[in-house]
Amino acid sequence: MDKTSKYPLYADLGLIAVSFVWGSGFVASKNALNSMTPMMLMALRFSIAALLSGIIFRKNLRNLSKETIKAGCIIGFFLFSAFAAQMIGLQYMLAGKQAFLTGTNVIMVPFIYWAVKKNKPDKYNFMAAFIMITGLALLTIDFSVGFSFNIGDALTLLCAFLYACHIVVVGMFSKQHDPIALTVIQLAFAAIISLIYVFWSGEFTIVIPVPGLLNGIYLGVFCTFLAFLVQNLAQKHTSSTHAAIFLSLESVFGSTLSILLLGDQFTFTMLLGCIIIFLGIITAETKWSFLKIKQNNPEKITEH
């Protein structure tokens, strides 16, 4: 086995590590929001990540083409928009619940590809979408008071859609441009937009309690700088839809850590909804192939 044949394996392991770090980010974000506004938290985490990446990878920023800058800004737009919806929505819901709702982006990726690349999703994607809708209903609707779909649920589903778009554009552009340069540009774009907003709105502050500051630094260094660097590098060696299944484990890690560290209380109905959502994720990405007899020559991963 040559070195390049191991790249897909390294990519998968890297994406699993990213999903764990992002899962822990729900806990860190919930704690940090006790000390600052959602947009101030975004300004802090993205500024830290952008400065770190810009300093460490400054050589990759030499002689940037207009196409690379444009691609990085497009990725950065979806990154900023997704996180803005997520951070604002987190104020109105449990961190563990949001982790699973955010994970629904894996179902959206093939349908976005359908719109962009004209590649129609297969029957498993449609089955997964139906399963996902059922799980979402159990997870978000409070049946004791009738239909109840709050702003946190709506913003988190918007976040999932925007993050699905982010996965798609990363997959498209990381194969055409330097993934490290794309990482720096997208983080800088998100940082600049966040800073402009907090200065304009008057939310900017340097007086942040130590616990909030530590959580913000963790989010900036690990959940943003390192995580997005690994994602961009990994997606250069795997497909977007394949990456989505590993990144969807973020919801499992996020919910588990929220229960253990934040004491989130899940009702039986919410737990059932989470299980059904995860079933939908597995249906979309594995197509239950692991239940079939393995072939001697596994099929090469392709976009679908």
Side-chain angles (χ1 to χ4, degrees):
M1 180 181 291
D2 59 39
K3 186 176 180 180
T4 56
S5 66
K6 294 182 179 180
Y7 285 164
L9 173 62
Y10 295 151
D12 291 346
L13 293 175
L15 291 171
I16 292 173
V18 168
S19 69
F20 176 80
V21 171
W22 279 343
S24 68
F26 287 99
V27 176
S29 296
K30 192 70 172 180
N31 288 331
L33 289 175
N34 293 325
S35 305
M36 66 192 92
T37 65
M39 295 305 296
M40 184 62 213
L41 176 56
M42 286 183 58
L44 176 62
R45 72 181 292 178
F46 283 120
S47 294
I48 291 173
L51 286 172
L52 277 176
S53 60
I55 293 172
I56 295 174
F57 300 113
R58 57 187 181 278
K59 291 183 179 179
N60 294 76
L61 301 179
R62 296 174 181 173
N63 303 316
L64 285 175
S65 66
K66 291 182 179 180
E67 289 74 18
T68 298
I69 295 174
K70 180 181 178 181
C73 288
I74 292 173
I75 296 173
F77 167 78
F78 286 111
L79 177 68
F80 168 81
S81 301
F83 271 82
Q86 184 183 66
M87 289 299 99
I88 297 172
L90 186 55
Q91 297 177 108
Y92 305 99
M93 64 196 308
L94 297 174
K97 180 180 178 181
Q98 187 180 70
F100 258 96
L101 286 181
T102 303
T104 61
N105 69 76
V106 71
I107 304 299
M108 303 176 189
V109 169
F111 291 94
I112 294 174
Y113 256 108
W114 186 11
V116 175
K117 296 288 189 178
K118 309 304 179 185
N119 294 330
K120 186 178 180 179
D122 58 30
K123 63 180 181 180
Y124 290 98
N125 294 125
F126 286 104
M127 289 169 56
F130 177 78
I131 294 171
M132 183 69 69
I133 291 172
T134 304
L136 287 173
L138 292 173
L139 186 60
T140 59
I141 298 175
D142 185 353
F143 292 95
S144 64
V145 296
F147 183 81
S148 177
F149 188 75
N150 65 40
I151 187 173
D153 298 330
L155 286 171
T156 301
L157 287 176
L158 174 61
C159 161
F161 170 75
L162 291 169
Y163 190 64
C165 293
H166 179 266
I167 291 176
V168 170
V169 295
V170 167
M172 292 169 56
F173 292 131
S174 63
K175 293 176 175 61
Q176 304 169 9
H177 305 276
D178 178 5
I180 293 179
L182 291 178
T183 300
V184 178
I185 295 170
Q186 70 167 320
L187 294 176
F189 182 92
I192 291 171
I193 299 301
S194 299
L195 286 169
I196 290 174
Y197 180 86
V198 294
F199 277 112
W200 173 78
S201 66
E203 295 178 25
F204 180 80
T205 179
I206 58 174
V207 182
I208 302 174
V210 173
L213 183 61
L214 291 177
N215 279 288
I217 292 174
Y218 174 77
L219 289 166
V221 175
F222 292 95
C223 300
T224 311
F225 166 59
L226 290 176
F228 282 106
L229 175 62
V230 172
Q231 182 199 0
N232 281 17
L233 289 171
Q235 283 198 242
K236 192 176 182 70
H237 302 286
T238 189
S239 70
S240 293
T241 48
H242 187 69
I245 183 60
F246 290 105
L247 294 178
S248 71
L249 292 174
E250 170 192 1
S251 62
V252 178
F253 292 131
S255 295
T256 302
L257 292 172
S258 296
I259 292 171
L260 294 176
L261 301 179
L262 295 178
D264 281 4
Q265 297 296 319
F266 268 40
T267 65
F268 175 76
T269 301
M270 293 172 66
L271 178 60
L272 182 60
C274 290
I275 294 173
I276 292 176
I277 286 174
F278 193 65
L279 181 65
I281 291 171
I282 295 300
T283 299
E285 291 307 316
T286 70
K287 309 182 193 305
W288 299 102
S289 59
F290 55 85
L291 296 179
K292 304 173 184 176
I293 299 176
K294 292 184 177 180
Q295 302 297 321
N296 292 328
N297 296 315
E299 294 181 359
K300 182 179 179 182
I301 296 171
T302 57
E303 296 286 359
H304 58 271

